[in-house]
């Protein structure tokens, strides 16, 4: 009888030890061994993270997209003439598209520099003193030598400059209404000889005429003023 009780006690102790050992493996706080199913999903999650990083890196990389191209502004092919008193030159006139590009020649104009004289306010019938420094009366003959009507519009489109001073608007309203008006539309073969009173900083230098219909980027012709 005593032997049987001893065996029963030993068996109970062994079972208790096994239970305690199992609890010890679980960490005693419910955090046991990793669930095999959960472990199996971890590599997939890591793979997804890696894939996301690669995608971000690819998003940061520059895309191979062709650069946007715009139509280059086309200017008249002929070189703008530079004219002294007594000289003549021809320039092209035309039109651009709605964006001020793609210049298309429609006609040609011939300009002759008849004279360039420095004058006082009294000589041009005004009491206004020149704002820039010096009045110059520039007489031109403008003729349409092309095959289509063309405009000449000097006001606001003539700029004076020299080696010391950058380009300045030289146009004035002095003398307007006296004699023939250069600013008009010329049919083929028509011409006008008229005078422009310009306000320049000093004697000498050059005056550039810019044709608005040619985009106004480069002068259509240049007048070399005497010193």
């Amino acid at each position: 009888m005593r032997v049987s009780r001893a065996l029963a006690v030993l068996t109970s102790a062994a079972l208790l030890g096994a239970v305690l050992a199992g609890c010890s493996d679980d960490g005693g706080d419910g955090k046991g061994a990793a669930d095999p199913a959960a472990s199996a999903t971890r590599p997939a999650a890591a793979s997804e993270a890696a894939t996301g990083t690669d995608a971000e890196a690819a998003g940061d990389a520059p895309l191979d997209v062709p650069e946007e191209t715009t139509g280059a502004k086309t200017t008249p092919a002929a070189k703008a003439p530079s004219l002294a008193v007594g000289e003549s030159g021809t320039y092209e006139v035309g039109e651009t598209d709605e964006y001020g590009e793609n210049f298309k020649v429609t006609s040609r104009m011939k300009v002759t520099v008849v004279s360039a004289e420095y004058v006082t306010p009294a000589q041009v019938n005004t009491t206004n003193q020149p704002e820039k420094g010096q009045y110059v009366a520039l007489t031109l003959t403008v003729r349409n030598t092309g095959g289509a009507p063309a405009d000449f519009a000097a006001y606001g489109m003539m700029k004076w400059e020299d080696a010391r001073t950058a380009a300045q608007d030289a146009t004035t309203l002095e003398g307007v209404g006296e004699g023939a008006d250069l600013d008009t539309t010329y049919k083929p073969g028509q011409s006008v000889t008229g005078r422009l009173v310009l306000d320049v900083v000093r004697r000498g230098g050059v005056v550039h005429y810019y044709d608005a219909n040619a985009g106004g980027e480069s002068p259509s012709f240049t007048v070399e003023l005497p010193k």
Side-chain angles (χ1 to χ4, degrees):
M1 180 66 70
R2 291 180 180 176
V3 173
S4 298
R5 289 182 179 176
L7 290 175
V9 171
L10 291 174
T11 301
S12 299
L15 291 175
L16 180 60
V19 172
L20 292 176
C23 293
S24 176
D25 291 342
D26 290 340
D29 55 0
K31 297 180 180 179
D35 184 356
S39 298
T41 61
R42 286 178 184 171
S47 176
E48 291 175 2
T51 303
T53 303
D54 293 341
E56 292 175 0
D60 292 339
L63 298 178
D64 186 14
V65 178
E67 294 182 0
E68 181 179 356
T69 58
T70 57
K73 183 173 293 185
T74 304
T75 56
K79 182 179 179 180
S82 184
L83 310 172
V85 173
E87 296 181 338
S88 300
T90 300
Y91 66 94
E92 297 173 336
V93 296
E95 59 188 12
T96 60
D97 59 24
E98 59 183 322
Y99 303 105
E101 301 174 347
N102 302 314
F103 178 82
K104 178 182 178 182
V105 175
T106 58
S107 194
R108 286 173 174 79
M109 303 286 274
K110 179 181 179 181
V111 59
T112 301
V113 182
V114 178
S115 65
E117 302 176 344
Y118 296 103
V119 295
T120 64
Q123 289 175 300
V124 290
N125 300 319
T126 184
T127 58
N128 298 324
Q129 295 297 316
E131 295 181 2
K132 301 285 193 312
Q134 175 67 60
Y135 284 137
V136 56
L138 180 64
T139 302
L140 303 175
T141 297
V142 177
R143 179 185 298 275
N144 185 338
T145 59
D151 294 334
F152 182 86
Y155 187 75
M157 302 305 291
M158 302 199 77
K159 296 182 179 182
W160 175 92
E161 67 173 320
D162 66 3
R164 290 188 290 166
T165 304
Q168 305 287 311
D169 179 22
T171 56
T172 73
L173 293 175
E174 305 300 342
V176 173
E178 299 178 8
D181 190 356
L182 287 170
D183 288 13
T184 188
T185 299
Y186 295 74
K187 295 177 182 178
Q190 290 184 332
S191 66
V192 170
T193 297
R195 184 178 71 169
L196 300 171
V197 178
L198 305 178
D199 185 358
V200 300
V201 176
R202 63 183 69 87
R203 295 186 176 215
V206 296
V207 174
H208 305 294
Y209 170 71
Y210 294 84
D211 185 354
N213 292 323
E217 292 288 334
S218 301
S220 295
F221 68 85
T222 297
V223 176
E224 303 169 4
L225 297 178
K227 292 186 177 180

